[in-house]
Amino acid sequence: MKKRLLVLEDGTVFTGTAFGSDRASQGEVVFTTGMTGYQETISDPSFYGQIVTLTYPMVGNYGINRDDFESITPAIRGFVVRELAKTPSNFRCDLTLDDYLTSKDIPGIEGIDTRKLTRIIRSKGSVKAILTAADEEVNVSEVIAQLQTTPAITHHVREVSPKAAYPSPGRGKRVVLIDYGMKHGILRELNKRDCDVLVVPYNTSAEEILAWHPDGIMLSNGPGNPEDVQEGIETVRNLIGKVPMFGICLGHQIFSLASGAKAFKLPFGHRGGNHPVKDLRTGRTDLTSQNHGYAIDIESLQDTDLELTHIALNDGTCEGVRHKKYPIFTVQYHPEASPGPEDSNHLFDEFIEMMEVEAGKGKQHA
């Protein structure tokens, strides 16, 4: 078995066993707390540029199947686990996790102390790291110096957003879905409700979107810093008040920034399928699926037309807002789950209902 190193920019070095691709890879190392759903995690575009660590100890025991992908091409830079299951057992299994990562040219490392790594990230924040071979040709001091001088990745969204628009037809409400790095679970939920969806790139103008005469607009999830997506912010600013909108994760952040709020980077982010969120309107608490490294500053909402609707019970950060004047609401978490609990799936029904109400108003005025 080949040995592999995971080298952090603070000088910490983990030695483990290689799996997946043989290539070296650099990225921001983060952790996610989900007990299942590693296939969805690997294929989630919001992990673009990141080396993903799973806190659950054994990974790969049900293999990879054809049904649980959230995108066609994985965007992660590496995969870190405590123990890799070599012989998966599940009736849906098509291939092993090792074989899948090899086919997608993504390196992995197993056999390291993932609890120690997680504690480092929790105390120091997300850090840059390199997965590289453990051989005499690798100079660890040079690797650390490279990490410390290499700038962080920016403009993640343009790497994962589609280059051209495409339809996902239905006979229900007409929805334009702005794809900042969409999980396919969002599209599945809209299709399940028979929406006639047009998926468009992140830099599509408001004029182009409105020319399709949508009943509603969906703002998808995606990776990175929302402030990097200036084209998206400008588009959403020009759409506010024109048509109902529903935003998820990065879409929530972009809408909030377009409305005058501010964002900040979390120390180590929220990633996993077990994050409790309280709905301030009903008092209900949902367990939610999350994957984000930035959050909206609650104090910055005071001078906007947005009201806070949801908070994270773990750290009190903003998890949802609603526009005070127009039919627009957004959440920081993932109501489509994939992976994770489906407690908040009802938000898609609220979006459909909101579009129907607005359509009814239009008929009254006609």
Side-chain angles (χ1 to χ4, degrees):
M1 302 295 287
K2 295 180 181 178
K3 291 295 181 181
R4 176 166 283 162
L5 302 180
L6 174 65
V7 184
L8 310 188
E9 63 178 313
D10 69 352
T12 304
V13 179
F14 293 90
T15 302
T17 302
F19 67 96
S21 171
D22 288 333
R23 73 180 179 94
S25 183
Q26 179 175 333
E28 179 187 39
V29 63
V30 299
F31 68 87
T32 180
T33 57
M35 295 177 66
T36 61
Y38 56 82
Q39 181 172 336
E40 295 94 325
T41 295
I42 292 169
S43 57
D44 181 352
S46 292
F47 280 114
Y48 173 80
Q50 295 177 329
I51 296 172
V52 180
T53 304
L54 270 67
T55 59
Y56 192 73
M58 176 175 278
V59 179
N61 53 328
Y62 53 87
I64 298 290
N65 64 73
R66 70 173 190 173
D67 299 321
D68 293 340
F69 292 109
E70 288 302 311
S71 68
I72 296 173
T73 305
I76 66 172
R77 293 288 178 86
F79 206 52
V80 182
V81 301
R82 178 69 183 90
E83 181 180 353
L84 176 70
K86 308 298 191 301
T87 309
S89 178
N90 186 277
F91 72 98
R92 295 194 303 160
C93 177
D94 292 318
L95 71 166
T96 67
L97 175 57
D98 185 9
D99 289 339
Y100 176 71
L101 292 182
T102 300
S103 70
K104 296 300 182 180
D105 199 27
I106 298 170
I109 184 172
E110 70 155 324
I112 73 165
D113 187 344
T114 50
R115 183 177 181 181
K116 177 181 178 181
L117 175 58
T118 300
R119 289 171 67 89
I120 291 173
I121 297 171
R122 281 183 60 88
S123 62
K124 298 183 178 180
S126 301
V127 295
K128 288 179 289 184
I130 288 179
L131 282 169
T132 187
D135 55 42
E136 296 178 356
E137 297 179 4
V138 175
N139 186 313
V140 174
S141 297
E142 291 180 359
V143 169
I144 295 171
Q146 175 185 332
L147 283 168
Q148 293 173 344
T149 56
T150 303
I153 300 171
T154 58
H155 302 291
H156 301 63
V157 168
R158 70 185 180 196
E159 300 298 327
V160 294
S161 182
K163 306 305 179 188
Y166 62 91
S168 183
R171 294 187 178 275
K173 293 301 179 184
R174 184 171 294 176
V175 176
V176 170
L177 198 168
I178 306 179
D179 185 347
Y180 304 115
M182 172 190 67
K183 287 171 60 185
H184 284 180
I186 295 174
L187 186 57
R188 284 194 295 270
E189 291 299 330
L190 294 174
N191 289 157
K192 188 187 300 182
R193 291 160 176 82
D194 205 27
C195 290
D196 184 23
V197 184
L198 179 69
V199 181
V200 301
Y202 77 100
N203 55 357
T204 305
S205 69
E207 292 74 20
E208 291 178 85
I209 291 171
L210 293 174
W212 203 59
H213 302 294
D215 296 304
I217 295 170
M218 171 69 73
L219 310 176
S220 86
N221 66 295
N225 185 346
E227 294 180 357
D228 289 339
V229 197
Q230 288 300 314
E231 303 99 317
I233 294 171
E234 182 65 20
T235 291
V236 171
R237 184 179 292 124
N238 291 328
L239 291 171
I240 293 174
K242 306 287 178 59
V243 65
M245 283 194 279
F246 175 23
I248 292 173
C249 200
L250 184 64
H252 152 78
Q253 297 167 6
I254 288 174
F255 167 70
S256 298
L257 266 59
S259 301
K262 296 180 180 178
F264 66 97
K265 187 170 185 179
L266 294 163
F268 47 84
H270 298 172
R271 298 177 179 90
N274 47 9
H275 289 258
V277 169
K278 183 175 182 178
D279 187 332
L280 299 178
R281 302 164 300 169
T282 64
R284 166 177 166 152
T285 295
D286 288 340
L287 284 180
T288 67
S289 177
Q290 302 200 12
N291 178 13
H292 60 100
Y294 290 80
I296 295 301
D297 183 353
I298 290 177
E299 292 187 3
S300 73
L301 298 175
Q302 295 178 0
D303 298 324
T304 72
D305 289 321
L306 306 181
E307 62 174 327
L308 180 69
T309 57
H310 298 76
I311 59 167
L313 292 182
N314 286 339
D315 60 11
T317 53
C318 173
E319 289 286 346
V321 298
R322 183 178 292 268
H323 202 283
K324 296 177 182 177
K325 300 178 181 178
Y326 303 119
I328 306 171
F329 69 94
T330 64
V331 292
Q332 180 64 78
Y333 52 91
H334 288 267
E336 81 286 355
S338 300
E342 299 180 352
D343 295 21
S344 52
N345 192 262
H346 61 89
L347 293 179
F348 288 96
D349 297 320
E350 290 186 24
F351 181 46
I352 300 296
E353 182 179 351
M354 187 169 68
M355 288 189 287
E356 290 176 345
V357 169
E358 291 303 305
K361 290 180 181 179
K363 290 179 181 179
Q364 292 176 4
H365 295 152

